[in-house]
C-alpha cells in the first residue's frame, strides 16, 4: 500500500508535470486528480536528455545533472525533505543521473543518502562527492569513508578534490581509491574566475578524469584556458554556478524572453542559461541546484532539443550586459 507521504510526493510530481507512468504502475492508488485550472501546471518534461561522453572512458552521461549546495542542506523535518524527495524523483524519472555533493555542504550528504535509500534510486545515479577542506592522506581517507556512510553507498562514481586544497595528496588518494574500485573517476573543482589559473596548472600536472568550474553568460573566463585545456587533455567538464547562485534569475525576473527563445524550444530564462552553457562543445554536464520540483523540471527541459548557435549565444550575452 502506498504510504500517505509517498502519495503526497507522487501528487506533487504530477502537479509539476513529471511523467509518472513507472511510478503510477507501482502504486495501488488512483492517479491524483488534475490540478485546478487556475493553477496552470508547467509544461511536462518529455523527450530524451542529450548525453555527452566522458573522454577518459567513453561512458555517456545526461547533460543535465544537479547540485546540492544550499538546496539539500536541510534538517530532518519531513516538510523540508518532502519537496527534495520530489526533486530527486523528477530528476531520475527524466533520465538524469549525475548529482554533485560534498561532505562540507553541512547536511547535504546525509539528506541525499536518506532520499536515495527511500526512493531506491542508487542504481540509476552517478554520485559525485569531494575530498573537502582536509589535509593529509589520513584525514582525506576518514572523510571519504564518512561520505560513503552518509551517502549510504559503498562507492561513488566521481571523487573530486574541492577547491584545490592539498591537491597533490588528495588527488593521489582519489587515484588510490579509483584503483580499489571505490570511485570510478577522479576530479578537481573550483568555482571562481580567480581560481582558474591554478586549476589549469593542476590539470596539466594531474590529468584528472573530470574538472568542475563555474561558467555562465556573464562569467566566461573558462573559455580562455580551462575549456581548450580540458579538450586537449581529455577531461570531462562539469559546470557549477550556471545561474550565478540564483543572481542571473533575479536579474531577468521582469524581462520578457527574447523572441528567438522559441526557436530553441525554451520557455524560461533558466533554460536559456543552461542551453548557453551546454552549447560550448567542451562542456559535458551542468549541475543547477534547486529545492523546487517545478524548477527541476524546467532545468531538465533545457537538456532536450536545440542548443544555442553562435548568434544566439551573443544575443544572450548582450541581453545581460
Ligand atoms: N567549488 C565547488 O566545487 C562548487 C562551488 C559552487 C557550487 N558547486 C556545485 O554547483 C552546484 C550549483 O551551483 P550553485 O548552488 O552555486 O548555484 P546555481 O545552480 O547557479 O543557482 C542555484 C539557485 O538557482 C535557483 N534555481 C534553480 N533552478 C531554477 C529555475 N529553473 N528557475 C528559477 N530559479 C532556479 C535556486 O533556487 P530554488 O531552490 O528556488 O530553485 C537557487 O537559488 C552546487 O549546488 C554545488 O553542487 C560546487
Amino acid at each position: 500500500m502506498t504510504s500517505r507521504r509517498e502519495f503526497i510526493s507522487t501528487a506533487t510530481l504530477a502537479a509539476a508535470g513529471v511523467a509518472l507512468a513507472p511510478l503510477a504502475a507501482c502504486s495501488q492508488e488512483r492517479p491524483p486528480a488534475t490540478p485546478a485550472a487556475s493553477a496552470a501546471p508547467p509544461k511536462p518534461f518529455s523527450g530524451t536528455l542529450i548525453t555527452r561522453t566522458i573522454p577518459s572512458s567513453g561512458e555517456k552521461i545526461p547533460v543535465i545533472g544537479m547540485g546540492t549546495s544550499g538546496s539539500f542542506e536541510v534538517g530532518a523535518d519531513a516538510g523540508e525533505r518532502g519537496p527534495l524527495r520530489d526533486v530527486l524523483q523528477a530528476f531520475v524519472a527524466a533520465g538524469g543521473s549525475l548529482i554533485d555533493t560534498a561532505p562540507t555542504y553541512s547536511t547535504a550528504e546525509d539528506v541525499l543518502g536518506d532520499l536515495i535509500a527511500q526512493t531506491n534510486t542508487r542504481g540509476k545515479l552517478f554520485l559525485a562527492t569531494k575530498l573537502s577542506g582536509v589535509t593529509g592522506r589520513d584525514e582525506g581517507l576518514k572523510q571519504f569513508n564518512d561520505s560513503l556512510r552518509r551517502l549510504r553507498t559503498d562507492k561513488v562514481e566521481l571523487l573530486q578534490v574541492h577547491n584545490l586544497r592539498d591537491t597533490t595528496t588528495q588527488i593521489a588518494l582519489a587515484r588510490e581509491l579509483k584503483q580499489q574500485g571505490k570511485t570510478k573517476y577522479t576530479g578537481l573543482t573550483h568555482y571562481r574566475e580567480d581560481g582558474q589559473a591554478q586549476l589549469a596548472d593542476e590539470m596539466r600536472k594531474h590529468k584528472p578524469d573530470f574538472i568542475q568550474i563555474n561558467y555562465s553568460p556573464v562569467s566566461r573566463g573558462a573559455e580562455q584556458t580551462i575549456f581548450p585545456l580540458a579538450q586537449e587533455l581529455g577531461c570531462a567538464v562539469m559546470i557549477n554556478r550556471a545561474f550565478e547562485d540564483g543572481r542571473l534569475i533575479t536579474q531577468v525576473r521582469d524581462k520578457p524572453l527574447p523572441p528567438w527563445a522559441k526557436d530553441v524550444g525554451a520557455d524560461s530564462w533558466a533554460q536559456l542559461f543552461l542551453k548557453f552553457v551546454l552549447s560550448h562543445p567542451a562542456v559535458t554536464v551542468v549541475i543547477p541546484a534547486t529545492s523546487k520540483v517545478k524548477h527541476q523540471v524546467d532545468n531538465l527541459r533545457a537538456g532536450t532539443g536545440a542548443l544555442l548557435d553562435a548568434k544566439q549565444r551573443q544575443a544572450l550575452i548582450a541581453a545581460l550586459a
Side-chain angles (χ1 to χ4, degrees), residues 66-71 100-101 105 130 160 162-163 189-191 212 239-247 249 268 270-271 274 287-292 294-296 298-299:
M66 67 182 247
T68 56
S69 163
S71 52
D100 177 74
T101 190
Y105 296 166
K130 309 194 181 86
Q160 307 157 100
H162 200 183
N163 296 345
T189 81
H190 211 282
Y191 68 108
Q212 183 187 143
I239 298 301
N240 60 40
R241 308 224 143 192
F243 303 143
E244 301 281 329
D245 201 13
R247 282 188 299 279
I249 305 273
S268 73
Q271 289 169 32
L274 296 174
I287 50 167
T290 183
S291 54
K292 299 184 178 73
K294 73 173 183 191
H295 288 170
Q296 180 70 291
D298 189 23
N299 296 342

XYZ file of all heavy atoms in Angstrom, residues 66-71 100-101 105 130 160 162-163 189-191 212 239-247 249 268 270-271 274 287-292 294-296 298-299, ligand 1:
381
model
N 22.592 17.639 -11.243
C 22.064 18.559 -10.218
C 23.059 18.757 -9.089
O 23.829 17.857 -8.752
C 20.698 18.111 -9.694
C 20.687 16.824 -8.906
S 18.997 16.384 -8.386
C 19.147 16.580 -6.620
N 23.045 19.957 -8.516
C 23.876 20.271 -7.356
C 23.073 20.108 -6.076
O 21.849 19.928 -6.114
N 23.765 20.174 -4.943
C 23.085 20.010 -3.651
C 23.486 21.075 -2.630
O 23.008 21.060 -1.515
C 23.414 18.623 -3.043
O 24.848 18.510 -2.935
C 22.860 17.490 -3.876
N 24.377 21.997 -3.030
C 24.810 23.040 -2.108
C 23.632 23.981 -1.857
O 22.993 24.443 -2.807
C 25.982 23.790 -2.728
O 26.184 25.001 -2.077
N 23.302 24.240 -0.622
C 22.139 25.072 -0.296
C 20.859 24.267 -0.387
O 20.220 23.987 0.636
N 20.506 23.794 -1.575
C 19.209 23.142 -1.776
C 18.989 21.919 -0.879
O 17.893 21.706 -0.365
C 19.053 22.737 -3.254
O 20.167 21.982 -3.692
N 25.955 16.161 -7.758
C 27.183 16.643 -7.131
C 26.902 17.059 -5.688
O 25.941 17.778 -5.418
C 27.701 17.859 -7.904
C 28.943 18.451 -7.257
O 30.018 17.832 -7.378
O 28.842 19.521 -6.620
N 27.759 16.587 -4.770
C 27.627 16.983 -3.374
C 29.021 17.131 -2.766
O 30.029 17.058 -3.479
C 26.724 15.979 -2.604
O 26.436 16.523 -1.315
C 27.360 14.610 -2.473
N 29.082 20.389 2.656
C 27.798 21.060 2.467
C 26.886 20.657 3.636
O 25.853 20.005 3.440
C 27.138 20.663 1.139
C 27.871 21.059 -0.132
C 27.501 20.503 -1.354
C 28.906 21.992 -0.142
C 28.136 20.859 -2.535
C 29.551 22.341 -1.318
C 29.167 21.775 -2.502
O 29.799 22.122 -3.679
N 33.306 14.894 -2.818
C 34.604 15.580 -2.825
C 35.439 15.223 -1.603
O 34.905 14.802 -0.573
C 34.373 17.095 -2.850
C 33.409 17.534 -3.949
C 33.424 19.021 -4.203
C 32.427 19.390 -5.288
N 31.058 19.610 -4.809
N 36.188 14.164 -6.232
C 36.869 15.384 -6.676
C 37.614 16.039 -5.516
O 37.143 16.027 -4.370
C 35.828 16.384 -7.200
C 34.890 15.822 -8.250
C 33.570 16.605 -8.336
O 33.406 17.423 -9.211
N 32.635 16.368 -7.430
N 38.269 19.295 -3.741
C 37.457 20.504 -3.669
C 38.319 21.754 -3.584
O 39.129 21.890 -2.672
C 36.577 20.396 -2.417
C 35.363 21.272 -2.416
N 34.528 21.322 -1.332
C 34.828 22.099 -3.348
C 33.535 22.153 -1.593
N 33.697 22.636 -2.813
N 38.134 22.641 -4.517
C 38.764 23.974 -4.465
C 40.287 23.937 -4.316
O 40.874 24.823 -3.684
C 38.141 24.828 -3.359
C 36.678 25.118 -3.637
O 36.219 24.917 -4.757
N 35.958 25.573 -2.638
N 38.031 20.563 -8.586
C 36.991 21.589 -8.727
C 37.476 22.964 -8.318
O 38.364 23.114 -7.485
C 35.735 21.294 -7.862
O 35.958 21.710 -6.513
C 35.344 19.835 -7.882
N 36.858 23.976 -8.918
C 36.881 25.343 -8.403
C 35.599 26.010 -8.834
O 34.805 25.417 -9.575
C 38.118 26.128 -8.868
C 38.537 27.139 -7.839
N 37.897 28.339 -7.675
C 39.502 27.099 -6.887
C 38.450 28.995 -6.665
N 39.425 28.269 -6.163
N 35.375 27.253 -8.369
C 34.085 27.892 -8.632
C 34.191 29.382 -8.910
O 33.176 30.059 -8.960
C 33.148 27.655 -7.438
C 33.577 28.376 -6.179
C 32.877 29.477 -5.710
C 34.696 27.950 -5.477
C 33.281 30.135 -4.571
C 35.113 28.605 -4.340
C 34.404 29.693 -3.892
O 34.819 30.347 -2.759
N 35.650 20.501 -12.574
C 34.389 21.220 -12.343
C 34.722 22.696 -12.187
O 35.632 23.055 -11.439
C 33.715 20.691 -11.066
C 32.376 21.360 -10.821
C 31.713 21.008 -9.492
O 31.091 21.865 -8.864
N 31.825 19.759 -9.070
N 29.892 21.889 -15.024
C 29.742 23.331 -14.801
C 28.877 23.610 -13.563
O 27.742 23.134 -13.469
C 29.099 24.008 -16.046
C 30.006 23.830 -17.267
C 28.802 25.475 -15.765
C 31.413 24.410 -17.126
N 29.455 24.388 -12.632
C 28.682 24.865 -11.486
C 28.323 26.343 -11.697
O 28.842 26.997 -12.588
C 29.423 24.614 -10.166
C 30.786 25.296 -10.063
O 30.966 26.428 -10.479
N 31.775 24.585 -9.500
N 27.413 26.847 -10.860
C 27.046 28.273 -10.859
C 26.520 28.779 -12.204
O 26.797 29.922 -12.583
C 28.223 29.128 -10.410
C 28.807 28.662 -9.102
C 29.093 29.779 -8.169
N 28.786 29.324 -6.819
C 28.711 30.120 -5.763
N 28.906 31.394 -5.891
N 28.434 29.627 -4.581
N 25.795 27.957 -12.926
C 25.237 28.385 -14.222
C 24.254 29.536 -14.050
O 24.036 30.311 -14.981
C 24.542 27.214 -14.902
N 23.642 29.651 -12.858
C 22.728 30.767 -12.570
C 23.403 31.778 -11.643
O 22.716 32.584 -11.024
C 21.437 30.255 -11.906
C 20.678 29.224 -12.685
C 20.038 28.168 -12.039
C 20.570 29.302 -14.071
C 19.313 27.218 -12.739
C 19.853 28.357 -14.785
C 19.231 27.309 -14.120
N 24.716 31.692 -11.512
C 25.427 32.605 -10.598
C 24.775 32.545 -9.216
O 24.521 33.570 -8.586
C 25.417 34.040 -11.142
C 26.054 34.181 -12.515
C 27.580 34.203 -12.467
O 28.137 34.677 -11.465
O 28.210 33.716 -13.442
N 24.514 31.310 -8.762
C 23.891 31.096 -7.454
C 22.517 31.789 -7.364
O 22.108 32.240 -6.293
C 24.831 31.600 -6.344
C 24.505 30.972 -4.992
O 23.748 29.988 -4.959
O 24.993 31.484 -3.971
N 21.809 31.878 -8.466
C 20.453 32.456 -8.496
C 20.417 33.925 -8.922
O 19.360 34.439 -9.280
N 21.563 34.598 -8.915
C 21.567 36.044 -9.224
C 21.116 36.335 -10.664
O 20.434 37.327 -10.913
C 22.954 36.654 -8.983
C 23.245 36.914 -7.519
C 24.547 37.684 -7.350
N 25.693 36.951 -7.884
C 26.328 35.971 -7.246
N 25.933 35.609 -6.042
N 27.363 35.361 -7.790
N 18.949 34.715 -12.410
C 17.491 34.559 -12.480
C 16.825 35.842 -11.956
O 15.855 36.330 -12.539
C 17.038 33.341 -11.634
C 17.785 32.070 -12.058
C 15.530 33.188 -11.634
C 17.209 31.281 -13.171
N 11.773 29.526 -20.721
C 12.185 30.214 -19.486
C 13.627 30.703 -19.658
O 14.392 30.152 -20.460
C 12.101 29.272 -18.280
O 13.156 28.332 -18.333
N 15.843 30.349 -17.352
C 16.709 29.289 -16.798
C 17.134 28.327 -17.905
O 18.303 27.927 -17.998
C 15.978 28.541 -15.678
N 16.172 27.969 -18.778
C 16.516 27.056 -19.880
C 17.529 27.700 -20.827
O 18.442 27.028 -21.302
C 15.260 26.660 -20.653
C 14.344 25.730 -19.861
C 12.999 25.561 -20.541
O 12.897 25.594 -21.757
N 11.963 25.385 -19.749
N 21.001 27.518 -19.229
C 21.566 26.156 -19.269
C 21.922 25.764 -20.704
O 22.970 25.142 -20.946
C 20.585 25.153 -18.653
C 20.304 25.367 -17.153
C 19.212 24.413 -16.667
C 21.572 25.178 -16.315
N 25.281 21.424 -13.535
C 24.654 20.929 -12.293
C 23.883 22.030 -11.551
O 24.239 22.404 -10.436
C 25.698 20.292 -11.357
C 26.920 21.224 -11.155
C 26.136 18.938 -11.887
C 27.829 20.785 -9.990
N 22.766 22.536 -12.145
C 21.972 23.527 -11.425
C 21.424 22.939 -10.124
O 21.093 21.753 -10.077
C 20.827 23.830 -12.403
C 20.734 22.626 -13.282
C 22.139 22.118 -13.423
N 21.344 23.799 -9.092
C 20.814 23.340 -7.795
C 19.430 23.926 -7.606
O 19.226 25.122 -7.822
C 21.726 23.811 -6.671
N 18.490 23.091 -7.179
C 17.151 23.608 -6.878
C 16.507 22.817 -5.747
O 16.780 21.631 -5.570
C 16.219 23.590 -8.115
O 14.966 24.171 -7.736
C 15.988 22.193 -8.661
N 15.621 23.511 -5.025
C 14.852 22.863 -3.962
C 13.392 22.705 -4.390
O 12.563 22.299 -3.588
C 14.927 23.736 -2.703
O 14.517 25.062 -3.020
N 13.108 23.036 -5.646
C 11.699 23.042 -6.088
C 11.521 22.142 -7.310
O 12.232 22.290 -8.300
C 11.273 24.458 -6.460
C 11.366 25.423 -5.286
C 10.836 26.791 -5.666
C 10.871 27.732 -4.488
N 12.242 28.164 -4.143
N 9.238 22.149 -9.585
C 8.903 22.818 -10.863
C 10.171 23.402 -11.502
O 10.303 23.423 -12.728
C 7.800 23.863 -10.697
C 8.193 25.119 -9.999
C 7.055 26.126 -10.046
C 7.575 27.384 -9.385
N 6.765 28.419 -9.062
N 11.119 23.851 -10.700
C 12.393 24.328 -11.255
C 13.223 23.150 -11.790
O 13.927 23.288 -12.788
C 13.191 25.104 -10.195
C 12.606 26.448 -9.889
N 13.034 27.232 -8.843
C 11.625 27.153 -10.524
C 12.345 28.369 -8.836
N 11.475 28.329 -9.834
N 13.125 22.013 -11.112
C 13.858 20.835 -11.590
C 13.376 20.442 -12.995
O 14.175 20.185 -13.895
C 13.665 19.663 -10.603
C 14.369 18.388 -10.986
C 15.885 18.536 -10.848
O 16.529 19.264 -11.601
N 16.456 17.850 -9.881
N 11.890 22.372 -15.134
C 12.329 23.461 -16.019
C 13.787 23.217 -16.446
O 14.119 23.262 -17.643
C 12.206 24.770 -15.214
C 12.421 26.025 -16.033
O 12.246 25.969 -17.264
O 12.753 27.065 -15.440
N 14.636 22.925 -15.480
C 16.062 22.719 -15.785
C 16.267 21.499 -16.690
O 17.073 21.535 -17.629
C 16.860 22.549 -14.485
C 16.826 23.815 -13.642
O 16.504 24.887 -14.136
N 17.151 23.693 -12.360
N 33.805 24.641 -5.611
C 32.880 23.805 -5.950
O 33.152 22.662 -6.158
C 31.489 24.309 -6.105
C 31.202 25.662 -5.852
C 29.912 26.102 -6.067
C 28.916 25.202 -6.462
N 29.218 23.895 -6.652
C 28.183 22.914 -7.075
O 27.401 23.510 -8.111
C 26.024 23.470 -7.754
C 25.297 24.633 -8.410
O 25.823 25.891 -8.014
P 25.079 26.848 -7.005
O 24.344 26.016 -5.996
O 26.088 27.806 -6.514
O 24.044 27.711 -7.810
P 23.207 27.776 -9.177
O 22.854 26.421 -9.672
O 23.912 28.738 -10.058
O 21.875 28.509 -8.641
C 21.054 27.952 -7.668
C 19.890 28.918 -7.455
O 19.079 28.991 -8.620
C 17.713 28.775 -8.297
N 17.110 27.994 -9.394
C 17.462 26.743 -9.809
N 16.739 26.380 -10.876
C 15.891 27.416 -11.157
C 14.901 27.635 -12.140
N 14.633 26.733 -13.092
N 14.204 28.813 -12.110
C 14.464 29.748 -11.177
N 15.421 29.605 -10.209
C 16.120 28.442 -10.203
C 17.716 28.025 -6.990
O 16.589 28.370 -6.224
P 15.359 27.340 -5.971
O 15.825 26.388 -4.912
O 14.281 28.274 -5.527
O 15.055 26.671 -7.267
C 18.993 28.534 -6.321
O 18.715 29.717 -5.592
C 26.066 23.474 -6.224
O 24.871 23.064 -5.657
C 27.226 22.537 -5.958
O 26.807 21.182 -6.071
C 30.495 23.442 -6.494
